[in-house]
RNA sequence: GCCGGAGUGGCGGAAUUGGCAGACGCACAGGACUUAAAAUCCUGCGAUCCUUACCGAUCGUACCGGUUCGAUCCCGGUCUCCGGCACCA
């Protein structure tokens, strides 16, 4: 071994060894307890960034540690490889997305390997490879067969100039972000997955996820947005259909003074009978079409409405109330129509003010500060019922129940639950995604491709213009096909799937990644699932994690997953910042992992990232901090290098011979304990590493003693290498071999600590008078409370401090402090 | 607006169950080694005050208050920052 810490040589050497010996290959083993560590797989952009390094370093420490603890660890990696950037590259550089993506995967795989991560590369998947998306298509067909995938016409954002559908995020102030043409709403047929069918279970089962951050669970709860209320039917004057509304406040029914329909509501056309009104309504609709959903639903947008000329009848009061259409009512929530209660809903209040509609309070706050006859804003809190006929005088909370019961008895309404969660629009007019394996036949309608014909391959003969519908429509070979049902002429769906589908089941595919007979073998998913620890960015808190949970529940129902929830524990790692801001090209504060690895080595990069901040917090990049990490590793290297001859041939068993021995043994065992606990339960890598640094400092001190205990020193060095190895594996392998061991530290057992050795003979005790520290004294450790108190009171300093005062109370905390309350 | 989370030295952070605030590291300062530099090693490093110095005193975990023998930790209020949702009836 070289006297210098030549990280580059060392890292290459051990990466080669791990690779050639297939050290990280895993298979099912019923004699061992399994542990599945998963990090969110990356999009293969071609360049690794610090966020990846952080994510994968965290996972690697966990995987390596648990392997050393004797667990059978599954730790896979793959590529979320479909997506728009590949298509943009195709348009810009005239390179096929497939070639571009494969090149990026190759480059990124090399970069990941440079980090020395303990992946079983034999399980690698890429969502864009036909052997993966074949099963994506199979899954889609399972959804379709169960009635959970369907095609529906719905208004979407359409840019007339680019001739393409736009995502809401691509619409800026009602205009296309690329060509600035006014975006229109267009009714298009799109594929949806019926995730709303699972809304209740997705909500309820969040309670099973004790190992998830509350923040993420709260975000999912809000996203699913369950609200309980009632559906109420209103009759319309001179109209044969009734108007249904959803409300969470049936107690305010007596306060309804108008009704509002969403502008797209199917009744709108029939309800506006007068020609004059029809014109105004048409003009209003035209104007709204130029607004995106984002603006339509913005609270800053002024409420605007049009009277239809019709009246509904309030079922409680029998009074006429005018029916409006207005921009603040959404078609796809509830029934697309609402009852207006200006006195008790702020939005209705503003609308009523603007159009001079009556405001009738029905809930009395019994608060002198609220003037019910002259409200300045809607009163939304609880109170006592007024102006509500026979319901007057009860609390509005009771009225919710009573009025709903009344409605149900009269056949005017029912209790209902509504979710903000909408069905998942999954079709995309893009090339680089999984083809939706459906065909349209004039006689049979939408028919799935036969399973034996899967995969439906992405055609090669397409043009990338960036315009029009899906590029698949330009393929001559793709569209025309035989109907799988009747054998007649059918045409293929040309839309592809949202890439979020591909990433909703990859964790299951990893359990049996190379299976060509089925998506995965149930026995294998039974063994490995659920994922014990999932690690990734908090930006996936809602979409990815919700979709993955949805898919897993679907498989669970099919018997293809053994668990109701796929990820038992979730760690959301914080962002990597430089100068207080997220690293980004435009800010020019990007630190390239490759350069850091070149300059200091992967071990240093890993060490810095793990040491500088706890994993779920933000991490501020510091060049001098990286140098500090490098210095530490050099120090460890030097330590072992210098001590090699000293500890060579020493016994594996030591006896404590001096107080210095005792102290080193104390620090050693404390360090092992601390690292074991920090890795085992909290993932506080920073404090674990700080314990290791303390150990290194102590060994340095110890080795300069005149008498040294070689066996003890040998044990300390061995343990040091082992407990550091999950963090910085390359240097540890090197040092492990240097002091005469064989094989890999990865297969070594995690060192045990001696609980007795983690206690010193004497402990420093803080002496407090009235809660303020006055002195510190040494007392034998582990004294029972009574002895501890007696010993502490015997001390001269205590006596002096207490002399001449009244001791009111003494509070002894053994091994910590004693507080003497005096007067 | 609503829902979360956070606020500790010059900086990143530690204090695991209400028990010695500032572990570990970075930066900085002084010293040793060196012809010199780098590297390495040693020492100091919250603020204010007292003192020639030693010793010591007071304050200090965003701010105000409370509970407690004792509060970074628990409770009430305020401020600031970050994140999510945002006309969901």
């Amino acid at each position: 071994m070289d006297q210098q810490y030549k990280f580059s040589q060392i890292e290459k050497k051990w990466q080669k060894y791990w690779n050639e010996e297939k050290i990280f290959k895993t298979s099912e083993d019923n004699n061992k307890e399994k542990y599945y560590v998963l990090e969110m797989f990356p999009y293969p952009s071609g360049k690794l960034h610090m966020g990846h390094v952080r994510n994968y370093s965290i996972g690697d420490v966990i995987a390596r540690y648990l392997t050393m603890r004797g667990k059978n660890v599954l730790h896979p990696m793959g590529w979320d490889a479909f997506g728009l950037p590949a298509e943009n590259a195709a348009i810009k550089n005239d390179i096929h997305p497939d070639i571009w993506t494969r090149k990026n995967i190759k480059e990124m795989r090399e970069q990941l390997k440079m980090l020395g991560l303990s992946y079983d590369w034999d399980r690698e998947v890429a969502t864009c490879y036909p052997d993966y998306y074949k099963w994506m298509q199979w899954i889609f067909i399972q959804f379709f067969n169960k009635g959970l995938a369907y095609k529906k016409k719905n208004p979407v954002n359409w840019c007339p100039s680019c001739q393409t559908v736009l995502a809401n995020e691509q619409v800026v102030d009602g205009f296309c972000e690329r060509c600035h043409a006014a975006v229109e709403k267009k009714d298009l047929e799109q594929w949806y997955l019926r995730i709303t069918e699972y809304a209740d279970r997705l909500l309820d089962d969040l309670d099973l996820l004790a190992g998830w951050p509350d923040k993420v669970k709260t975000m999912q709860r809000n996203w699913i947005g369950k609200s309980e209320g009632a559906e109420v039917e209103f009759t319309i004057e001179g109209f044969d259909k009734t108007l249904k509304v959803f409300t969470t406040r049936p107690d305010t029914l007596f306060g309804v003074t108008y009704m509002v329909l969403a502008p797209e509501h199917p009744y709108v056309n029939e309800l506006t009978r007068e020609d004059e009104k029809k014109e105004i309504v048409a003009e209003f609709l035209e104007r709204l079409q130029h607004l995106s959903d984002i603006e339509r639903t913005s609270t800053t947008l002024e409420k605007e409405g049009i009277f239809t000329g019709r009246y509904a009848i309030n079922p409680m009061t029998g009074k006429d109330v005018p029916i409006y259409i207005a921009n603040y009512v959404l078609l796809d929530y509830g029934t697309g129509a609402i009852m207006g209660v200006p006195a008790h809903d702020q939005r209705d209040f503003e609308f009523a003010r603007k159009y001079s509609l009556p405001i009738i309070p029905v809930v009395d706050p019994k608060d002198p500060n609220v003037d019910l006859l002259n409200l300045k804003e809607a009163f939304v809190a609880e109170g006592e019922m007024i102006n509500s006929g026979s319901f007057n005088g009860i609390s509005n909370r009771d009225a919710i129940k009573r009025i709903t019961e009344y409605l149900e008895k009269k056949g005017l309404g029912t209790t209902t639950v509504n979710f903000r969660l909408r069905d998942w629009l999954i079709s995309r007019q893009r090339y680089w995604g999984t083809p939706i394996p459906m065909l349209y036949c004039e006689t049979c309608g939408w028919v799935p491709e036969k399973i034996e014909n899967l995969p439906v391959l992405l055609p090669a003969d397409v043009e990338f213009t960036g315009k029009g519908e899906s590029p698949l429509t330009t393929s001559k070979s793709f569209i025309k096909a035989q109907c799988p049902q009747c054998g007649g002429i059918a045409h293929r769906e040309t839309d592809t799937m949202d890439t979020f589908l591909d990433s909703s089941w990859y964790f299951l595919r990893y359990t049996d990644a190379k299976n060509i007979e089925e998506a995965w073998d149930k026995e294998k998913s039974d063994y490995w699932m659920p994922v014990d620890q999932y690690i990734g960015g908090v930006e996936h808190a809602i979409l990815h994690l919700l979709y993955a949970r949805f898919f897993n529940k679907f498989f669970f129902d099919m018997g293809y997953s053994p668990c109701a929830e796929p990820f038992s524990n979730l760690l959301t790692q914080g962002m990597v910042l430089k100068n207080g801001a997220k690293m980004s090209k435009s800010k020019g504060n990007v630190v390239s992992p490759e350069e850091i690895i070149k300059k200091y080595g992967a071990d240093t990069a890993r060490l810095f990232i793990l040491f500088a901040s706890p994993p779920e917090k933000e991490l501020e990049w510091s060049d001098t901090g990286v140098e500090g990490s490098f210095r530490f590793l050099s120090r460890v290297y030097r330590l072992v290098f210098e001590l090699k001859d000293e500890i060579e041939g020493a016994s594996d068993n030591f006896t404590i011979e001096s107080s210095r021995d005792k102290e080193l043994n104390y620090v050693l065992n404390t360090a092992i304990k601390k690292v074991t606990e920090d890795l085992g339960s909290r993932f506080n890598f920073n404090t674990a590493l700080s314990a290791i640094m303390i150990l290194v400092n102590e060994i340095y001190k110890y080795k300069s003693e005149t008498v040294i205990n070689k066996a003890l020193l040998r044990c300390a060095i061995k343990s040091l290498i082992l407990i550091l190895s999950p963090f910085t594996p390359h240097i540890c392998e090197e040092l492990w071999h240097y002091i005469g061991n064989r094989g890999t530290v990865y297969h070594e057992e995690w060192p045990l600590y001696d609980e007795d050795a983690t206690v010193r003979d004497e402990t420093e005790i803080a002496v407090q008078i009235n809660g303020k520290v006055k002195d510190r004294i040494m007392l034998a450790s582990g004294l029972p409370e009574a002895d501890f108190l007696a010993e502490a009171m015997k001390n001269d300093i205590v006596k002096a401090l207490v002399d001449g005062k009244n001791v009111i109370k003494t509070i002894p905390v053994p091994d910590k402090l004693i507080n003497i309350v005096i007067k």
Side-chain angles (χ1 to χ4, degrees):
Chain A
M1 195 170 89
D2 205 282
Q3 192 173 351
Q4 291 293 310
Y5 169 36
K6 292 191 174 156
F7 54 86
S8 181
Q9 275 178 20
I10 293 171
E11 292 180 358
K12 278 197 192 97
K13 171 180 161 188
W14 289 101
Q15 282 163 17
K16 189 163 170 253
Y17 170 82
W18 296 331
N19 201 33
E20 284 172 358
E21 303 291 320
K22 289 205 178 280
I23 297 296
F24 306 125
K25 190 162 173 58
T26 339
S27 56
E28 298 73 37
D29 178 351
N30 285 317
N31 297 317
K32 276 186 177 176
E33 207 179 317
K34 70 93 185 178
Y35 195 93
Y36 188 173
V37 188
L38 181 66
E39 299 120 46
M40 291 179 183
F41 64 168
Y43 177 78
S45 61
K47 274 262 176 278
L48 210 61
H49 58 67
M50 281 301 171
H52 293 128
V53 179
R54 190 174 195 194
N55 194 171
Y56 306 142
S57 297
I58 292 168
D60 200 46
V61 176
I62 297 170
R64 285 175 181 271
Y65 167 71
L66 286 162
T67 301
M68 292 176 81
R69 291 305 298 264
K71 296 269 169 68
N72 189 28
V73 172
L74 175 58
H75 189 212
M77 182 40 72
W79 312 99
D80 188 13
F82 273 135
L84 201 56
E87 224 163 316
N88 288 341
I91 296 163
K92 207 170 151 192
N93 308 325
D94 197 27
I95 179 170
H96 193 278
D98 188 52
I99 296 167
W100 188 83
T101 304
R102 282 175 192 263
K103 184 177 135 275
N104 283 349
I105 288 176
K106 189 164 170 281
E107 284 170 11
M108 265 178 104
R109 190 192 295 120
E110 290 312 309
Q111 291 172 25
L112 278 182
K113 287 195 169 176
M114 279 167 62
L115 282 169
L117 304 164
S118 61
Y119 296 129
D120 178 356
W121 283 105
D122 288 350
R123 293 173 184 267
E124 180 181 352
V125 302
T127 56
C128 68
Y129 295 166
D131 67 349
Y132 186 89
Y133 72 68
K134 170 179 178 173
W135 299 109
M136 180 72 256
Q137 292 171 339
W138 176 81
I139 291 166
F140 182 90
I141 292 169
Q142 305 311 305
F143 273 111
F144 180 81
N145 289 341
K146 294 244 160 38
L148 294 170
Y150 64 95
K151 206 167 194 191
K152 183 176 85 174
K153 210 175 207 185
N154 221 34
V156 293
N157 298 310
W158 176 262
C159 172
S161 153
C162 298
Q163 290 281 299
T164 185
V165 167
L166 297 176
N168 279 341
E169 296 78 13
Q170 293 170 312
V171 183
V172 181
D173 296 330
F175 298 97
C176 172
E177 67 166 356
R178 259 199 295 184
C179 70
H180 307 291
V183 172
E184 296 169 0
K185 286 277 174 184
K186 201 166 176 176
D187 268 347
L188 284 180
E189 282 232 320
Q190 302 282 305
W191 285 98
Y192 291 82
L193 286 188
R194 219 181 284 280
I195 190 171
T196 51
E197 190 90 349
Y198 283 76
D200 256 320
R201 285 165 69 192
L202 288 168
L203 186 68
D204 292 346
D205 286 358
L206 286 171
D207 295 336
L208 303 176
L209 300 173
W212 279 40
D214 288 338
K215 176 185 181 169
V216 174
K217 286 190 277 189
T218 306
M219 281 164 76
Q220 292 218 350
R221 269 188 203 105
N222 292 343
W223 189 264
I224 296 167
K226 183 176 183 169
S227 40
E228 292 171 37
E231 222 167 68
V232 186
E233 276 182 61
F234 285 71
T235 48
I236 301 172
E237 278 178 9
F239 198 65
D240 53 355
K241 287 177 233 170
T242 58
L243 181 59
K244 272 189 192 164
V245 300
F246 173 70
T247 177
T248 54
R249 294 290 305 273
D251 55 320
T252 62
L253 214 44
F254 284 85
V256 172
T257 56
Y258 68 101
M259 309 287 292
V260 188
L261 303 182
E264 305 88 348
H265 196 283
Y267 286 9
V268 169
N269 202 29
E270 296 172 72
L271 279 177
T272 48
R273 4 169 215 200
E274 300 156 42
D275 287 347
E276 185 199 347
K277 290 263 192 279
K278 269 195 173 23
E279 235 169 76
I280 302 169
V281 167
E283 190 201 306
F284 183 62
L285 289 178
E286 169 69 24
R287 208 144 39 82
L288 282 179
Q289 273 187 351
H290 292 294
L291 291 178
S292 68
D293 268 5
I294 287 175
E295 291 158 307
R296 269 289 298 282
T297 57
S298 157
T299 41
T300 53
L301 187 76
E302 200 184 336
K303 286 161 191 43
E304 221 183 317
I306 304 269
F307 177 46
T308 58
R310 292 264 192 181
Y311 292 86
I313 297 155
N314 185 325
M316 306 308 276
T317 62
K319 280 186 188 156
D320 289 349
V321 290
I323 302 174
Y324 279 72
I325 59 173
N327 58 355
Y328 75 100
V329 175
L330 305 171
L331 178 69
D332 56 353
Y333 183 78
T335 62
I338 61 152
M339 58 188 215
V341 188
H344 303 292
D345 182 287
Q346 188 56 28
R347 294 154 301 182
D348 296 348
F349 183 82
E350 286 165 29
F351 191 81
R353 273 284 176 86
K354 183 166 178 179
Y355 295 101
S356 305
L357 293 158
I359 298 172
I360 303 172
V362 292
V363 179
D364 184 353
K366 298 277 176 197
D367 177 351
N369 297 321
V370 180
D371 179 6
L372 281 179
L373 295 175
N374 191 14
L375 285 169
K376 297 206 166 49
E377 56 181 2
F379 173 71
V380 295
E382 299 193 353
E384 192 185 293
M385 299 299 294
I386 52 167
N387 296 331
S388 298
S390 61
F391 298 96
N392 281 344
I394 63 173
S395 80
N396 74 304
R397 199 180 261 275
D398 290 340
I400 291 177
K401 259 186 257 156
R402 298 261 298 271
I403 293 182
T404 309
E405 279 164 18
Y406 172 84
L407 290 170
E408 283 183 334
K409 216 164 63 192
K410 296 264 170 179
L412 294 169
T414 47
T415 48
T416 316
V417 171
N418 261 301
F419 295 93
R420 324 165 77 106
L421 184 69
R422 310 293 152 88
D423 275 344
W424 178 9
L425 195 166
I426 57 123
S427 41
R428 297 289 180 268
Q429 293 72 47
R430 287 175 188 165
Y431 173 76
W432 198 229
T434 303
I436 296 172
M438 299 296 295
L439 298 102
Y440 188 77
C441 166
E442 288 296 337
T443 38
C444 309
W446 282 105
V447 183
E449 181 56 270
K450 287 181 185 163
I451 300 294
E452 61 262 35
N453 290 341
L454 298 182
V456 176
L457 289 169
L458 273 170
D461 56 336
V462 293
E463 284 170 48
F464 298 100
T465 58
K467 291 193 174 187
E469 297 177 279
S470 166
L472 291 183
T473 55
T474 65
S475 166
K476 293 192 174 65
S477 60
F478 185 76
I479 296 175
K480 264 197 184 170
Q482 213 179 34
C483 171
Q485 206 162 295
C486 71
I489 294 172
H491 65 261
R492 288 191 189 281
E493 172 61 60
T494 54
D495 285 355
T496 55
M497 295 182 207
D498 179 4
T499 58
F500 271 110
L501 276 86
D502 306 313
S503 55
S504 293
W505 62 283
Y506 74 112
F507 46 93
L508 283 154
R509 179 67 178 174
Y510 278 144
T511 65
D512 193 14
K514 302 296 161 187
N515 198 330
I516 54 167
E517 303 293 328
E518 48 187 339
W520 61 85
D521 182 346
K522 279 185 209 174
E523 268 184 37
K524 297 203 167 158
S525 60
D526 281 354
Y527 178 82
W528 289 113
M529 285 296 287
V531 172
D532 295 278
Q533 184 64 56
Y534 198 24
I535 308 149
V538 73
E539 66 272 18
H540 296 108
I542 300 172
L543 297 183
H544 164 62
L545 288 168
L546 191 67
Y547 296 150
R549 292 181 59 222
F550 163 49
F551 265 50
N552 181 74
K553 286 200 185 303
F554 176 68
F555 298 135
F556 178 65
D557 293 348
M558 281 173 75
Y560 269 84
S561 169
C563 43
E565 285 293 331
F567 314 121
S568 304
N569 296 288
L570 175 70
L571 187 131
T572 50
Q573 112 240 12
M575 280 193 300
V576 183
L577 310 179
K578 175 87 190 277
N579 305 327
K582 190 181 178 177
M583 287 185 183
S584 74
K585 266 188 208 157
S586 59
K587 289 203 187 77
N589 61 349
V590 176
V591 180
S592 141
E594 261 184 304
E595 277 170 35
I596 295 297
I597 291 170
K598 222 167 149 188
K599 200 168 168 194
Y600 299 103
D603 281 340
T604 293
R606 293 168 57 130
L607 178 68
F608 169 72
I609 278 185
L610 294 163
F611 176 63
S613 185
E616 61 287 342
K617 270 191 94 161
E618 288 176 342
L619 170 79
E620 173 68 29
W621 187 264
S622 152
D623 291 329
T624 53
V626 176
E627 269 175 56
S629 294
F630 179 71
R631 269 205 295 275
F632 171 73
L633 288 183
S634 306
R635 214 165 123 78
V636 171
Y637 187 91
R638 230 168 24 242
L639 181 67
V640 178
F641 188 83
E642 286 168 15
L643 287 177
K644 187 206 177 197
D645 294 340
E646 205 71 48
I647 62 174
E648 197 153 48
S651 160
D652 272 331
N653 300 305
F654 60 87
T655 46
I656 301 297
E657 279 153 14
S658 67
S659 62
R660 289 298 294 121
D661 285 6
K662 207 163 212 171
E663 182 61 16
L664 175 57
N665 195 40
Y666 165 79
V667 175
L668 172 63
N669 282 280
T670 312
I672 299 172
K673 184 180 180 183
K674 178 88 181 131
V675 177
T676 305
E677 287 176 354
D678 281 350
L679 293 190
S681 54
R682 324 195 294 166
F683 300 139
N684 280 12
F685 308 117
N686 52 335
T687 52
L689 284 163
S690 115
I692 295 175
M693 288 173 181
I694 292 169
L695 173 60
V696 170
N697 292 343
E698 184 62 25
I699 298 175
Y700 262 98
K701 260 188 232 161
Y702 183 83
K703 86 183 177 72
S704 62
E705 293 288 316
T706 41
V707 183
I708 59 172
N709 183 336
K710 291 184 179 182
L712 169 62
L713 198 53
R714 182 180 148 82
C715 176
I717 293 289
K718 276 180 77 171
S719 300
L720 166 65
I721 294 170
L722 291 176
I723 60 177
L724 184 59
S725 69
F727 303 92
T728 58
H730 310 86
I731 188 175
C732 291
E733 294 277 25
E734 184 71 10
L735 297 175
W736 187 247
H737 274 239
Y738 183 64
I739 61 167
N741 297 291
R742 294 161 144 234
T744 164
V745 283
Y746 183 75
H747 288 151
E748 289 297 323
E749 268 178 43
W750 188 254
L752 299 172
Y753 59 89
D754 174 7
E755 188 69 54
D756 292 343
T758 62
V759 181
R760 285 194 173 104
D761 291 348
E762 288 196 314
T763 313
E764 194 182 62
I765 305 301
V767 179
Q768 296 183 339
I769 303 291
N770 294 342
K772 302 220 168 187
V773 180
K774 292 293 174 181
D775 197 30
R776 297 184 169 86
I777 58 174
M778 298 301 291
L779 282 185
S781 303
L783 286 177
E785 196 167 296
D787 297 349
F788 174 81
L789 180 60
E791 285 297 320
M793 293 304 284
K794 242 189 263 174
N795 188 276
D796 291 343
I797 301 145
V798 174
K799 280 186 198 159
L801 286 162
V802 169
D803 189 42
K805 306 272 168 59
N806 279 335
V807 176
I808 294 167
K809 203 173 179 185
T810 50
I811 299 108
V813 184
D815 292 336
K816 290 232 164 81
L817 57 76
I818 175 156
N819 189 13
I820 302 163
V821 186
I822 59 173
K823 218 174 185 177

